[in-house]
């Protein structure tokens, strides 16, 4: 009996110690040490010392501070309550500390993704793969080592999923490319068909500068749906922490490919946000005969192709939509306003919210409405939106 009590006390004491250890982590020091290593990795890549960059990446992925930040990220974001196929959630300081100690390359085998579907605006469904929390933490850890390489080698006019850049920066870049009186008058609105799902696995394993064995295991983990396991032969699943970075690195170099294909002084500008991008041109013929073939050749090498439904070549005076904003030139003045389709979707969302909240307290309804309206208004505040704001305000 005494032995049982002693072992229980030791176990409880260990649990308390683990919780205290997690609480005692100095997060400012952790961020400073990881940032220092990331700067050294970026500098090595800039100087062409790729062997040194790989060695520093190894140091970072095996460091205590990087592992702590990886666990903190996956337990403090919105997905922390969404489990993978194992149903495990890390709740409490003790679970987080134990997870930190388990982040090791040796013997690591990722579990399959949990497949769910999100409904798109066009009625189709987008597959989403949910990794386990442990696999998310491993992805966050290796992303810390890969991100400085990606930032160093990224296209100048790439804005999606990059530190210190956002949609507003991409919209501003498009404005700068189209607003002048002598700017290009034709625009190719491009969209890649199933970008995440179709990237060539072989291309990623050959060109992504990270631990190849870890990357291969992630790409071959497969997914579970309705209790059955299915293999993955290509692509990087949407839902993984590192997937946007892998997709970005796959598309980096597209701007250079276009520049090399196009003669000088053709008013060609390139702006990309994730897998959506536009290319401006002096004439429709230039975009059709020179730019589009160059883009298609670049994408084909990576297992990708342009979406025939969503890719179009438009005259700027006829208007086009990019990142939820409509660009249209009236005379020599470029106007950017919230896209009509997005405004209608917002009004429909508000109406549905109000219909579902008929019996709810007015304070709760107002709080929900404010959350929706504030997010939408903050996104569109950089463009000519006063008339649209008034319309939405009148509707509400």
């Amino acid at each position: 009996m005494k032995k049982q009590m002693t072992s229980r006390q030791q176990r409880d004491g260990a649990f308390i110690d683990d919780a205290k250890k997690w609480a005692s982590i100095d997060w400012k020091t952790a961020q400073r040490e990881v940032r220092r290593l990331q700067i050294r990795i970026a500098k090595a890549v800039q100087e062409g010392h790729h062997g040194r960059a790989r060695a520093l990446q190894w140091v970072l992925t095996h460091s205590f501070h990087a592992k702590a930040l990886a666990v903190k990220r996956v337990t403090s974001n919105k997905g922390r309550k969404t489990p993978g196929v194992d149903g495990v959630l890390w709740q409490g300081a003790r679970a987080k500390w134990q997870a930190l100690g388990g982040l090791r390359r040796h013997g690591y085998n990722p579990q399959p993704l949990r497949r769910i579907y999100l409904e798109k605006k066009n009625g189709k469904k987008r597959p989403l793969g949910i990794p386990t929390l442990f696999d998310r933490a491993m992805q966050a850890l290796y992303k810390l080592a890969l991100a400085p390489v990606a930032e160093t080698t990224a296209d100048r006019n790439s804005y999606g999923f990059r530190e210190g850049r956002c949609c507003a920066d991409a919209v501003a870049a498009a404005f700068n490319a189209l607003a002048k009186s002598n700017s290009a008058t034709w625009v190719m609105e491009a969209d890649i068909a199933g970008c995440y799902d179709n990237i060539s696995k072989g291309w990623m394993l050959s060109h992504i500068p990270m631990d190849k064995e870890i990357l291969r295991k992630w790409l071959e983990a497969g997914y579970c749906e309705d209790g059955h396991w299915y293999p993955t032969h290509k692509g990087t699943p949407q839902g993984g922490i590192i997937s946007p970075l892998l997709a970005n690195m796959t598309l980096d170099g597209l701007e250079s490919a276009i520049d090399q294909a196009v003669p000088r002084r053709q008013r060609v500008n390139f702006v990309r946000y994730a897998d959506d991008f536009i290319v401006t041109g002096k004439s429709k013929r230039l975009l059709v005969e020179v730019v589009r073939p160059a883009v298609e050749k670049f994408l084909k090498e990576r297992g990708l192709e342009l979406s025939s439904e969503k890719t179009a070549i438009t005259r700027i005076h006829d208007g086009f939509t990019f990142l939820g904003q409509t660009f249209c030139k009236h005379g020599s003045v470029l106007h950017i306003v919230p896209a009509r389709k997005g405004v209608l979707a917002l009004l429909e969302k508000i109406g549905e919210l109000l219909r579902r909240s008929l019996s709810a307290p007015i304070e709760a309804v107002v709080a929900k409405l404010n959350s929706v309206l504030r997010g939408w208004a903050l996104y569109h505040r950089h463009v000519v939106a006063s008339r649209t704001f008034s319309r939405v305000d009148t509707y509400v």
Side-chain angles (χ1 to χ4, degrees):
M1 186 71 176
K2 287 183 179 179
K3 288 184 178 179
Q4 289 180 349
M5 290 181 65
T6 302
S7 62
R8 186 181 302 168
Q9 289 171 350
Q10 289 176 343
R11 185 178 70 248
D12 293 344
F15 290 168
I16 294 171
D17 286 345
D18 287 347
K20 287 182 177 179
K21 288 175 184 176
W22 178 262
S24 68
I25 296 174
D26 186 337
W27 295 109
K28 288 185 178 179
T29 299
Q31 290 171 346
R32 184 171 62 249
E33 290 300 312
V34 169
R35 176 62 71 179
R36 182 178 62 82
L37 279 170
Q38 288 180 321
I39 291 171
R40 291 178 65 191
I41 292 170
K43 187 176 180 181
V45 173
Q46 286 176 335
E47 295 174 348
H49 300 150
H50 300 291
R52 184 189 301 170
R54 285 194 296 271
L56 289 168
Q57 284 181 308
W58 189 94
V59 171
L60 193 151
T61 54
H62 289 73
S63 74
F64 168 82
H65 290 122
K67 292 178 180 180
L69 288 176
V71 173
K72 184 182 180 184
R73 172 172 179 175
V74 301
T75 55
S76 59
N77 62 14
K78 290 182 179 179
R80 66 185 182 277
K81 296 181 181 179
T82 306
V85 292
D86 59 358
V88 174
L89 295 175
W90 295 339
Q91 297 177 335
R94 180 178 64 86
K96 295 172 186 177
W97 179 262
Q98 292 180 341
L100 189 159
L103 295 182
R104 291 188 296 268
R105 180 187 187 279
H106 181 69
Y108 170 64
N109 285 298
Q111 296 190 58
L113 306 169
R114 181 167 67 88
R115 173 63 64 89
I116 62 173
Y117 292 90
L118 297 179
E119 191 167 332
K120 299 168 71 173
K121 293 179 181 178
N122 58 9
K124 296 181 180 179
K125 291 187 176 182
R126 173 185 288 125
L128 200 66
I130 309 297
T132 64
L133 269 178
F134 188 86
D135 292 332
R136 274 178 259 173
M138 285 292 285
Q139 290 187 16
L141 175 62
Y142 278 85
K143 183 181 177 182
L144 288 172
L146 185 58
V149 181
E151 283 296 318
T152 306
T153 58
D155 285 343
R156 184 166 52 91
N157 285 298
S158 166
Y159 296 91
F161 303 108
R162 292 186 61 189
E163 188 176 349
R165 297 190 175 200
C166 63
C167 281
D169 297 318
V171 172
F175 176 84
N176 291 334
L178 294 164
K180 301 181 184 67
S181 58
N182 63 342
S183 294
T185 54
W186 289 89
V187 179
M188 184 174 84
E189 313 162 58
D191 184 88
I192 300 171
C195 180
Y196 284 81
D197 298 328
N198 293 306
I199 302 173
S200 166
K201 184 192 302 181
W203 190 94
M204 283 191 283
L205 288 171
S206 299
H207 294 86
I208 301 295
M210 65 167 287
D211 189 313
K212 304 298 183 186
E213 185 63 19
I214 294 291
L215 179 59
R216 183 186 62 77
K217 288 180 177 180
W218 284 337
L219 297 178
E220 295 178 355
Y223 64 92
C224 284
E225 185 176 2
D226 298 329
H228 298 284
W229 177 83
Y230 299 92
T232 48
H233 302 291
K234 57 184 179 179
T236 175
Q238 294 190 57
I241 285 178
I242 205 169
S243 294
L245 184 61
L246 296 177
N248 250 352
M249 295 189 76
T250 301
L251 296 177
D252 282 333
L254 179 55
E255 186 172 6
S256 298
I258 293 171
D259 288 342
Q260 291 172 9
V262 176
R264 294 184 63 187
R265 298 184 179 181
Q266 296 298 314
R267 303 173 195 167
V268 170
N269 292 278
F270 171 87
V271 182
R272 178 170 70 84
Y273 190 93
D275 59 339
D276 291 328
F277 61 93
I278 61 170
V279 185
T280 70
K282 187 177 180 180
S283 66
K284 183 176 181 179
R285 181 177 179 181
L286 174 73
L287 294 176
V288 171
E289 298 182 1
V290 180
V291 172
R292 182 160 183 161
V295 171
E296 290 174 338
K297 179 183 178 183
F298 177 91
L299 294 178
K300 188 176 181 181
E301 294 171 357
R302 291 151 176 79
L304 301 171
E305 61 182 7
L306 291 174
S307 168
S308 56
E309 296 178 2
K310 298 180 180 179
T311 300
I313 296 174
T314 311
R315 191 166 175 266
I316 186 60
H317 293 87
D318 296 329
F320 69 94
T321 299
F322 179 55
L323 299 179
Q325 316 289 8
T326 296
F327 294 70
C328 188
K329 215 163 192 178
H330 302 278
S332 60
V333 179
L334 177 67
H335 289 151
I336 307 176
V337 299
R340 177 179 171 81
K341 191 175 180 181
V343 175
L344 293 176
L346 173 72
L347 298 180
E348 185 178 335
K349 185 175 182 179
I350 292 171
E352 180 63 25
L353 191 154
L354 293 174
R355 283 191 292 273
R356 286 190 285 104
S357 306
L358 291 175
S359 59
I362 189 65
E363 294 83 1
V365 176
V366 170
K368 289 181 180 178
L369 270 177
N370 281 342
S371 177
V372 172
L373 292 171
R374 189 181 296 114
W376 182 83
L378 287 174
Y379 181 80
H380 292 286
R381 72 188 187 276
H382 302 289
V383 302
V384 183
S386 58
R387 185 177 297 178
T388 306
F389 285 176
S390 296
R391 179 187 173 193
V392 172
D393 187 52
T394 301
Y395 178 83
V396 173

